[in-house]
Amino acid sequence: MLGSLLELSDDFFAYNLKYLFIVGLWPDDPWAKAHPTLYKMYEYTTHVMSIIFLIVTGIGTYQIKDDVVLLMTNLDKCLVAYNFVAKVVIFVVKRRQVEILIFEIIDSGDQLTEERKKMMLMMIVIVTGLSTSIVGAFSALALYHNELSVEAWMPFDPMESKMNLLTASQLLAISFVVPVIWRAIAMQGTVCSLVMYLCDQLVELQDRIRSLEFTSTTERAVREEFKDIVKKHVRLMRYTQDMNKIFEEYFLIQNLAVTLELCLNALMATMVGFEQKTLLATFFAFLCVALMNAYIYCYLGNEMITQSENLALAAYESSWISWPLDLQKDLVILLRVAQKPLYMSAGGMVAMSIQTYSQTLYNGYSIFAVLNDVVA
């Protein structure tokens, strides 16, 4: 399966763009261009389905406002949908900028290994399968207990019969899996591919700088190679700036959602008794998915910072002692510029990194501690 998907194109982003096309977020696909009206109808229908999910679950949450435990449980589940739908809105608004950036990278001629392509594809497949399995498992468990997986308003009474309950569950699944979950994974795959591309190119620049050996016979070649390295580094910095402009709100929503998710889960764990094992398992499963997604972003952001800083180290470790003075001065400029790391920004306030991930978890726990004192 992986092999057939990888054969779609030599382009690193081929399967990411195909996934975006499948979930109605990439009208630039050849099929979508050939059938623009049909694809627009599909895209708008998917948008409407996600909005319907938010509306019916919002009404359902309001209807159970008197039951604190059930209310918090529903909020915890719906927070995932609000997080993902908000990201979709940002992605659609800035989709043209994403398209320009991706095709500029494709036209740059930069290469990536087949192992990297396969790893990215496997990550998307695994996350899609894991997320869908979790949602399916808890939906099936809710059906087994004659309940809805999430409280939602329906134009009929879901509890009137088994058929009504099954119909309501199917409607919720249809309006959640593709319009919300799969769209979120498609966007995540695209964002992660962009960051991984930058990390790999920074590693390549490090290797190229270290391999420069200046002699009287290689002077011309070394100067040309160094000039190309500088140009590529400037280009990567520009790509990073473009990505920050596109995704800073995206990452901000991600961090806020994880903070609230952790806070709600911790609060509910103190309010729900151990005898309600199914409810606790639901909290834990959704929290694990949220933390895993947040960790992927922060890990890749941290790797990007590390590799951009390592470029300065690679410049220092090169054989610059034997270089002529003018080339040494150029190397010093490169070294000084590389000492300022490239990073992904969350709302222009913090860089996506492991430290930010830890701070996000700490913020969630701090809010929980305050709320727990108030409730107690």
Side-chain angles (χ1 to χ4, degrees), residues 51-346:
I51 294 172
I52 288 175
F53 181 85
L54 297 183
I55 292 174
V56 298
T57 54
I59 296 174
T61 302
Y62 177 78
Q63 290 175 336
I64 57 172
K65 62 182 183 298
D66 296 328
D67 189 332
V68 177
V69 173
L70 198 55
L71 175 65
M72 297 292 287
T73 302
N74 225 51
L75 284 174
D76 181 62
K77 295 175 181 177
C78 292
L79 181 61
V80 176
Y82 287 113
N83 171 25
F84 291 163
V85 172
K87 289 179 181 176
V88 169
V89 172
I90 292 172
F91 186 88
V92 171
V93 170
K94 300 191 175 183
R95 183 166 55 193
R96 179 56 183 168
Q97 296 170 255
V98 177
E99 179 185 342
I100 293 172
L101 175 61
I102 287 178
F103 285 111
E104 187 176 348
I105 291 173
I106 293 173
D107 293 338
S108 69
D110 294 335
Q111 298 297 318
L112 290 153
T113 63
E114 291 299 320
E115 290 74 17
R116 175 63 86 183
K117 297 179 184 179
K118 187 177 293 187
M119 185 185 74
M120 190 64 229
L121 179 56
M122 288 180 64
M123 188 189 79
I124 294 173
V125 172
I126 290 172
V127 173
T128 301
L130 179 62
S131 301
T132 307
S133 299
I134 290 176
V135 173
F138 283 108
S139 297
L141 187 62
L143 275 175
Y144 177 78
H145 291 292
N146 291 319
E147 301 172 347
L148 287 175
S149 55
V150 58
E151 294 297 325
W153 173 85
M154 290 290 163
F156 54 87
D157 184 4
M159 302 305 166
E160 186 177 350
S161 65
K162 194 72 174 180
M163 182 59 67
N164 282 10
L165 181 61
L166 182 61
T167 302
S169 298
Q170 289 175 338
L171 290 174
L172 287 175
I174 291 171
S175 61
F176 182 71
V177 175
V178 174
V180 179
I181 290 289
W182 286 10
R183 278 186 160 194
I185 298 171
M187 293 186 298
Q188 182 187 46
T190 302
V191 175
C192 290
S193 293
L194 287 167
V195 178
M196 291 170 68
Y197 156 79
L198 289 172
C199 291
D200 284 358
Q201 298 309 306
L202 288 168
V203 171
E204 185 207 11
L205 288 183
Q206 295 169 32
D207 295 338
R208 289 171 64 181
I209 290 177
R210 289 193 179 98
S211 65
L212 292 178
E213 294 291 341
F214 188 91
T215 62
S216 57
T217 57
T218 61
E219 178 178 358
R220 183 182 179 85
V222 169
R223 288 184 180 276
E224 288 297 324
E225 177 71 2
F226 185 77
K227 182 180 179 180
D228 189 60
I229 289 172
V230 171
K231 285 183 177 180
K232 185 168 183 175
H233 186 226
V234 172
R235 179 161 54 85
L236 295 180
M237 289 191 292
R238 180 166 54 81
Y239 290 164
T240 305
Q241 291 175 352
D242 292 342
M243 288 176 62
N244 277 322
K245 291 177 183 177
I246 296 170
F247 295 114
E248 59 181 2
E249 296 90 355
Y250 179 98
F251 287 126
L252 178 61
I253 291 173
Q254 170 68 35
N255 288 350
L256 291 176
V258 171
T259 299
L260 293 175
E261 184 81 18
L262 180 62
C263 176
L264 281 173
N265 275 268
L267 191 61
M268 289 305 301
T270 61
M271 298 175 63
V272 177
F274 184 71
E275 62 276 3
Q276 295 178 282
K277 297 178 182 179
T278 303
L279 204 55
L280 288 172
T282 304
F283 296 150
F284 183 72
F286 278 96
L287 178 62
C288 286
V289 172
L291 293 180
M292 179 187 68
N293 288 334
Y295 180 79
I296 290 173
Y297 286 127
C298 290
Y299 171 80
L300 290 176
N302 196 81
E303 184 69 11
M304 183 175 170
I305 293 172
T306 301
Q307 297 303 335
S308 61
E309 289 177 335
N310 285 347
L311 186 61
L313 179 62
Y316 179 76
E317 290 176 346
S318 63
S319 57
W320 55 269
I321 298 177
S322 61
W323 296 8
L325 185 59
D326 64 318
L327 204 55
Q328 289 182 0
K329 290 180 179 179
D330 292 339
L331 183 69
V332 170
I333 295 174
L334 174 64
L335 191 150
R336 291 293 299 273
V337 172
Q339 285 178 335
K340 184 179 180 180
L342 305 180
Y343 63 89
M344 297 306 302
S345 170

Side-chain angles (χ1 to χ4, degrees), residues 346-357:
M349 294 182 288
V350 295
M352 296 296 290
S353 64
I354 297 300
Q355 182 179 358
T356 301
Y357 183 76

